[in-house]
Each structure stands twice: as structure tokens, then as C-alpha cells.
Amino acid sequence: MKYVVANWKMYTDTRGGIALTREIVRRYRGKETMPEVVVCPGFLALGEIKKVISRGRMHIGAQDVFWMDDGPHTGSVAPKMLKEIGCEYVIVGHSERRQELGETNEMIARKIDAAVKAGLKAILCVGENLEERENGSMEKVVEFELRGALEKISSRSMESVIIAYEPIWALSEKGHGSASVQDVLDALSFVRKMLVDISAKGGKDVSLLYGGSVDMENAYSFLREDSIDGVLVGSASVKINHICGIIDSALKAMRV
Ligand code: PGA
């Protein structure tokens, strides 16, 4: 199984998201086998998009979640609210939230814990910035983020965790292009080692994704690798030809 996770960020509104989703559903109607396609629109569009995907074979995810289930938390969205609307996945710890909103490992750990307890699958993003890559501290950063977010998670809950290695310097907004396949394989093999160290039982089966300037041109080079379970796609995921090209690459990698 391969994952194609579309992180729509703030790139599209509800109307745009519905149109995009309808078109993806239309193009793959009747297809028996599909990769695990997860679209992650903004909170306001989740309910409407859910209605559209129920006619196709896709899933929805949120781009964030809060760690409490109810109470006085103005502006926050609880895990159970996401479940209620039919969400199955949630992205946690994206570098844009770490940087723009000051999310810490501790907050991310609480979010993951609350999300998996509520029955959501948490996609945890980790990855280094350009300076950290250049001074050789990728492993140090990734270890810090993985341990910080997961050390309190039980080995059973690890079943509901997915890791996305997303080096910040490779995000499309930065304009440097994607990481090389070899960079990603090296980073993911380190991620796997860390996961097994954190949870000998749960760590070996966690799915590992790559994110950072993935598009229809390069998706297959990542997806064909056995140790890359899928891709997390930002800007290209709101372009219909790109997202479908990436889904086609996942189908090819799954040999269907
Ligand atoms: P990008 O974003 O594909 O635009 O680089 C990926 C992400 O931030 O999840």
C-alpha cells in the first residue's frame, strides 16, 4: 500500500476544494485498487469535502488538532470534533506550525496522544532546516523531534502513527527543489532506527512518508522505493493534473 497525502494548507477554499475533490473522484471512479489517498483541506471545508469523497475511495484528514476533548479552549478543534465529521487522519507538527505558531515538541506530543486516543491516525512531520542540513545535524534534529513527540506513546498507539520526513529546505515554497531519493532513503532509515529504539514492538511497522516539492514529475522516483510508503504533497496537490499524476505514480508503484 502507498499513501498519497494532499496537504492543501491555505491554498484553497471550500469551493475550490470541492471542485478538486469531485474531479479526483470522477477520474478514479470504478477503479478497484487505489492507494490510500488522504485529502487534508482546511477545517472549514472538511464537512463538505467529506460528503464528496463518500462517493469515491478517498479519506480526509485535518491539518491540525488540539489536545483537549472539550472545555474552555477558544478557537481550538478537538479530536472528537474531527471524528464526528468523518476525519480519519490528522497532520501534526508541520514545520509551518512549529515556525509560525511556536508549536513545541511537548505540544505536539500531547496532540498525537489525544488524536490516537480518539481513533485518528496522526501524521507526524519531522525534518531539519537548511542550516541544520548544512552543518550536518539532520539526525540530531530528527531524533529530537521524534523522541519529543513519541516517547510517551504506547507501543499499541504506534499503530496509529505515520511519520513524514519533510526537510524544511525542500518544501516547494523555499524554491530549492526536492531532496534527492538517496537523501530521503538515508533519512528514513535513520527514522526507522529511532522508531525501533523508541518502541521495539511498535516502531518497525510505522509507515514512513516523504514530503517536500513532490510533484507529478518526481513522485514515482520516491514511490517506487520499498522503504518509502508514500508522499505528503503540498502545493502540487491542489493542481488536478499533478495530484492525479502522483496518484497514478502510486498505482504504478503498487503494480496495479
Ligand atoms: P510542498 O509541501 O509539497 O509544497 O513542498 C509539502 C508540505 O509542506 O507538506
Side-chain angles (χ1 to χ4, degrees):
M1 173 58 72
K2 295 284 179 182
Y3 288 86
V4 176
V5 182
N7 176 9
W8 288 350
K9 309 193 182 190
M10 243 170 50
Y11 288 133
T12 179
D13 56 13
T14 302
R15 195 186 303 191
I18 290 173
L20 200 53
T21 313
R22 279 208 180 117
E23 183 57 17
I24 303 171
V25 169
R26 193 189 66 76
R27 291 201 192 185
Y28 295 95
R29 186 162 288 144
K31 189 110 194 141
E32 285 208 351
T33 312
M34 281 290 280
E36 187 82 352
V37 179
V38 183
V39 292
C40 303
F43 286 130
L44 293 177
L46 281 169
E48 291 300 315
I49 304 286
K50 174 67 190 170
K51 286 185 206 152
V52 181
I53 63 162
S54 58
R55 280 176 256 133
R57 313 202 31 218
M58 301 198 292
H59 309 266
I60 53 167
Q63 297 175 16
D64 182 45
V65 67
F66 193 55
W67 55 77
M68 301 293 282
D69 243 340
D70 51 38
H73 309 290
T74 304
S76 295
V77 176
K80 72 175 182 195
M81 295 173 179
L82 295 180
K83 282 294 285 182
E84 182 187 30
I85 222 164
C87 239
E88 294 170 71
Y89 291 85
V90 60
I91 297 170
V92 181
H94 193 282
S95 58
E96 285 152 11
R97 297 192 62 86
R98 293 182 195 254
Q99 288 176 340
E100 294 171 348
L101 297 157
E103 282 199 6
T104 62
N105 272 349
E106 202 207 352
M107 291 154 83
I108 292 162
R110 294 176 79 181
K111 289 181 178 199
I112 292 182
D113 187 43
V116 301
K117 281 188 179 138
L120 292 160
K121 293 199 179 83
I123 303 169
L124 168 65
C125 301
V126 297
E128 78 288 0
N129 65 28
L130 189 59
E131 194 190 331
E132 291 159 343
R133 155 89 17 190
E134 283 173 352
N135 68 25
S137 45
M138 178 276 280
E139 294 191 351
K140 214 172 107 209
V141 173
V142 169
E143 175 169 4
F144 174 72
E145 292 180 342
L146 285 174
R147 287 197 191 279
L150 298 175
E151 226 149 27
K152 291 193 190 72
I153 303 287
S154 70
S155 55
R156 248 196 95 213
S157 297
M158 284 287 244
E159 282 173 17
S160 303
V161 173
I162 293 167
I163 306 296
Y165 171 61
E166 284 215 321
I168 296 167
W169 50 273
L171 296 181
S172 60
E173 289 294 311
K174 307 278 177 201
H176 301 297
S178 72
S180 70
V181 174
Q182 194 54 51
D183 282 342
V184 176
L185 291 174
D186 292 346
L188 290 184
S189 112
F190 178 74
V191 168
R192 177 71 69 206
K193 202 171 98 195
M194 280 301 110
L195 289 173
V196 171
D197 193 58
I198 293 166
S199 168
K201 231 165 102 205
K204 59 184 193 315
D205 299 321
V206 171
S207 294
L208 305 182
L209 316 184
Y210 165 67
S213 301
V214 174
D215 59 18
M216 62 187 279
E217 315 292 343
N218 62 19
Y220 185 66
S221 65
F222 297 108
L223 287 162
R224 73 174 170 198
E225 298 290 338
D226 286 342
S227 49
I228 304 179
D229 298 305
V231 285
L232 175 54
V233 190
S235 65
S237 72
V238 283
K239 298 179 189 125
I240 189 67
N241 286 344
H242 275 276
I243 188 64
C244 291
I246 296 165
I247 294 171
D248 289 344
S249 300
L251 285 167
K252 186 170 158 202
M254 290 159 61
R255 295 181 190 83
V256 289

